[in-house]
Amino acid sequence: MTEHQGLLSGGWDRVASNKRYIVWFYLLNLALAWLGTAAFKNQAHDFLDHSLLSGRLLHGFDIGVMVEMFLQPEFGQTHASSASGLHFALLFFVATALFLPGVLQGYASTYRLPREDFFRACGRNLWRFIRLMIVAGIVMGAVAGALFGIQSFLEKKAAESTNELLGFEVRVLSLVVIFLVMTALRIWFDLAETDIVLSDQRAVRRSIGTGFRHMWRNLGRLLGSYVVTTIVAAILLGAGLWIWMRFVPPASVVGAFLVSQLMLILLLIPRFWQRGVAVRYYLENMVEPVAVQPYTPAPVAVPVVNDPAPAPLLPDTPPETQGA
Amino acid sequence: MKLRWIIMFFPVLSVVVISVVVKEHAVKAASPQGALAAVAASVAGATPNVSGASVIPDTTLAINSTQPLSQRVVHYEIDAKYDSAKHTVDATEVLTYHNLTGQPLDHFPFHLYQNAFQPNATWIRETKVAGGRDVSYEKWEDKDYGSEEIKSLEVAGQGDLTSNVRYIQPDDGNKDDKTVVDVRVPKPIAPGQFVQFKIAFQTKFPETQARSGWKHDFVLGGQWFPKVGVFWHGAWNCHQYHATTEFFADFGVYDVKLTMPQFEVVGASGVKVGETNNADGTKTVAYHGDDIHDFAWTASPRYRVKEDGVFQGQMGPVQMRILMQPAHWSQVGRHEKILRESLEHFESWYGPYPYKTITLVDPESSEAGGMEYPTFITGDTSWFMPKGLYLPEIVIEHEFGHQYWYGMVATNEFEDAWMDEGINSYTEVKVLDSILGKKTSGINMLGATFGEREQQRLSYIGVADLDPIAQKAYDYYSFNSYGGITYGKTASVLLTLESIIGEDTMAKAMHTYFMKYRFTHPTKEDFLKTIEEVSGKDLKWYFAQAVYGSQVMDYKVLKVESFPVNWYVEKETGSHKDDKNTVYRSYVWLQRKGDFIMPVEVEIKFEGGEKIREHWDGVSRWTKFTYEKKAKLESAEIDPDHKIQIDRNDFNSSYTAKEHGRTALKLTNYWLVVTQWLGQALAWWAV
């Protein structure tokens, strides 16, 4: 790997050499969502399995029949099943926060990170991440609130115009600006997270400061990388939905499941790619060089047994252990 | 009594009739544009001088007929000036009223609709409590305010009666409601006599609400002038303006002059009969309408106009004038196409459209969209309207349908809103099904479909047990109940009626009803009686539940079951295998869950394909059918031809012996994808 490799390709290399993380996160995502939809599944089976009318939902997408189903008291309360789905989606978010330090550690490693090191990184950084997420939540919430407030104001102003399209144009333009600003904030806190994990930084505020400085100094380069990966995600989502609608027969449940799951696993990649970019950037620009004393072997008459050295944060050679 | 007046005014009538007939001949030979010029000239001659003898003119300038089509009770001559900065109209109105009630009249009620848009008016109160179409009135703003004030009122021969004008509240006694005034006349108007009111008034429009008012530089002038009530069934019928009611008025002739800035593009009811530019930068546009019962207009400097479309109707050419918002111009073809197709279907199925024009307005705001006035309707669209999303088509067809069910068959919208909105929703389903397809007449895009009849049914089943159809529009539990019952239930009830009397008979009944009652004010009894007469069936049992009652229909297949007749033999031998000679005893249990009783058909299907149709009168709460056959029962379905539209739950109307879980799995997969994606999106942004 060259030192000045591009951020995108450098980030991608890290994703490519650690594909197992995506697979594990996908399985976690699927398992949690599966549990989250159990209530809905039971409701649907109870209501539909003996009705001939349900055939109109199977062999097409009849919106009227779908709406009627949700309107029926016999179908049951949908807010219970939707709340359950939302709770499991939140659980996936928590799990991501929990396991992310291990992923960052793995991306920084030049070898397959041992399982115990993966979980050690997770455990060591848990409290730091919680603190960081609280700060990130406050900052991002405040900025998002302000930006959406401005957007609402601009839209109101646009509605005073006789140009009907102006409101839409203002909305699109403001959403683009909001997206860019929020992405910049995301970069900031991604760098802070990377710094916390890879520098073993206990003082979260220092990582936040370091993250902000680097985000600000290299905004164009970092933002470009993040925007490209987001566009990739949007293309994947669009293409996945198009293939689903265009090629999967309405009655093919297995086909729909496979295509939708393929789309969802692919959708995980861009975000991991962004993490790879952050790690690549960290290694390139943020890691502080460690002063290493030149090794001068002393003449030894009698062999001695040295104490084992502490495990380096960025080991150069892989130990012989099973990877996570 | 009427004859005496005709004799008295014979000389005047003769002059008018001769004048009109002569000019009509000229109009017939001319092109539509030429016709307008001829109309303009003829109106000047046909309109009586307000200071002269009172009479309702029998002009036919705006209709494709040489004879008046309605019993003309009113003649409105309005000279109005619109101030586009203040959104006000200052006008004088000369109303000639012909007393055809058969009794002397000593008072006259008038609607002042724009007074509804005041904080304590009944309209606002009801909207706040029961909901409304456009606004919720969370806070009151100056732009919401509307008013309609009579500055002076004079009765020809009786002097200035402004002091006799009193606000009345016949429906709810709300003293703050000023939407109806009553005028006492010192000298009662004898039967057959004419009376002429000269009214000076000012109307201030609110920002568009209830499909009237202004938005930016656009204005829709609906319900904007003092309009006399209808003397109906021995009394004045002049209700307050309610959140869930529309309008009711007598037929007559309208001559309206609108003065406004020259840059405005104007559209209105009736035919345009003149336009003159004034020295002060304004212009005066004159319109004339025959056999109509209301007059609306619109103006905006930004309208783009298409007016070269002509529909060749059964009674003559109909000019289609379409006023579009510039941003929607690419949809003008869609608008004209559905308007033309609606005209074709209504003429072919129900009867001729007699007017010379139909004006379709694409308004500035959706609050003004989807409204009907005689020969003048508003559509509803936006700049983004995919081809498979038929919102403009639905709205335009619906509003055009009102030219028949409201415009010509002028029912009382206050008391029987279902007779215009509901019957119109029924014909909307029929027409749109024919044009766009039964299951795709609402949405047909990206593999998703939605039919209009389904939409009507769904709007009903959510409020099925709240209100009956036959009740005053303002007595409904809520705005949703009003909409679901008046529109959705009526359409569903009439579609279900087709299963009882046959689709062709129903079509014939609708045609008969229109032809018999056009240009009159029929009652619900008139409508229901026509259906019974045409079908030759006593349908009172159905109407009692479906129209007058609030009974809810819900038929259910409770369960189906099959087992071998000699089940014990199989058990003894330990054989669980089916063979072709095994005889099965099968049962089907049906339940009437709701309180609506109606005979239904049931289709029982057996393995191997055999089908049996059964009839159940539905009187008892449940019933059972038993069979012995060499095949197991596969499924049972109530109403297998799907003719019943009023069953609250169609899912339980069928039952299959075997479970089939693919639909549930398909929907669960949708739910799963959404949940997974939501989790990923959260994780993307929040950590």
Side-chain angles (χ1 to χ4, degrees), chain B residues 141-377:
Chain B
E141 296 181 72
D142 288 345
K143 64 184 182 180
D144 295 330
Y145 184 85
S147 64
E148 195 171 334
E149 189 185 351
I150 291 178
K151 301 284 186 186
S152 68
L153 187 145
E154 184 185 329
V155 174
Q158 302 199 37
D160 188 343
L161 299 181
T162 310
S163 59
N164 285 13
V165 176
R166 297 275 183 278
Y167 289 110
I168 59 168
Q169 300 80 22
D171 298 334
D172 65 358
N174 172 17
K175 294 295 176 197
D176 294 319
D177 188 85
K178 297 177 178 176
T179 56
V180 178
V181 290
D182 192 57
V183 181
R184 291 240 154 239
V185 289
K187 297 174 194 165
I189 310 303
Q193 208 176 10
F194 293 85
V195 58
Q196 197 168 68
F197 298 88
K198 295 174 186 172
I199 304 169
F201 69 95
Q202 185 188 59
T203 291
K204 178 175 171 53
F205 290 114
E207 191 176 49
T208 46
Q209 295 171 51
R211 293 157 285 180
S212 179
W214 59 271
K215 181 85 177 182
H216 302 136
D217 51 5
F218 154 88
V219 64
L220 178 64
Q223 311 307 330
W224 57 286
F225 59 93
K227 191 161 58 169
V228 71
V230 179
F231 197 90
W232 200 49
H233 296 168
W236 280 109
N237 196 293
C238 191
H239 292 279
Q240 293 164 248
Y241 196 4
H242 295 271
T244 51
T245 55
E246 290 181 335
F247 318 105
F248 185 40
D250 272 318
F251 287 96
V253 178
Y254 283 75
D255 287 298
V256 179
K257 289 177 183 170
L258 300 165
T259 300
M260 58 186 68
Q262 287 174 10
F263 54 74
E264 300 279 11
V265 179
V266 186
S269 299
V271 293
K272 186 172 156 186
V273 292
E275 179 170 339
T276 51
N277 286 337
N278 306 316
D280 62 353
T282 63
K283 64 179 176 183
T284 300
V285 193
Y287 287 88
H288 174 81
D290 290 315
D291 299 310
I292 56 178
H293 51 72
D294 200 357
F295 185 94
W297 57 276
T298 182
S300 167
R302 292 176 300 103
Y303 278 133
R304 288 188 68 179
V305 183
K306 187 175 190 308
E307 52 191 346
D308 57 355
V310 176
F311 173 77
Q312 290 300 330
Q314 292 169 12
M315 293 177 70
V318 181
Q319 188 196 14
M320 296 186 291
R321 188 160 190 258
I322 303 173
L323 281 62
M324 298 290 295
Q325 295 297 314
H328 307 163
W329 184 247
S330 62
Q331 297 172 39
V332 70
R334 275 177 81 169
H335 280 59
E336 185 172 335
K337 184 171 182 286
I338 189 65
L339 183 59
R340 183 182 295 278
E341 288 175 334
S342 300
L343 269 159
E344 282 169 2
H345 278 77
F346 270 84
E347 284 226 324
S348 149
W349 289 353
Y350 306 117
Y353 179 81
Y355 301 105
K356 285 182 178 169
T357 58
I358 178 74
T359 298
L360 168 57
V361 178
D362 170 28
E364 162 86 31
S365 70
S366 64
E367 290 87 352
M371 187 54 192
E372 72 281 6
Y373 294 100
T375 75
F376 179 100
I377 59 176

Side-chain angles (χ1 to χ4, degrees), chain A residues 15 35 47 72 98 148 152 195 231 267 318:
Chain A
V15 174
L35 291 171
F47 194 72
Q72 297 300 338
L98 180 65
F148 279 109
S152 172
D195 186 59
I231 290 170
L267 272 176

Side-chain angles (χ1 to χ4, degrees), chain A residues 32-42 81 84-85 88, chain B residues 668 671-672 675:
Chain A
L32 291 174
W34 191 264
L35 291 171
T37 52
F40 179 85
K41 192 178 84 174
N42 292 338
S81 50
S84 146
F88 279 96
Chain B
T668 304
W671 213 252
L672 181 73
T675 307

Side-chain angles (χ1 to χ4, degrees), chain B residues 33-51:
Chain B
Q33 283 75 17
L36 292 181
V39 163
S42 88
V43 162
T47 305
N49 186 333
V50 295
S51 60

Side-chain angles (χ1 to χ4, degrees), chain B residues 98-111:
Chain B
H98 191 187
N99 182 4
L100 298 172
T101 65
Q103 61 187 81
L105 298 175
D106 61 356
H107 71 111
F108 291 81
F110 285 81
H111 293 283

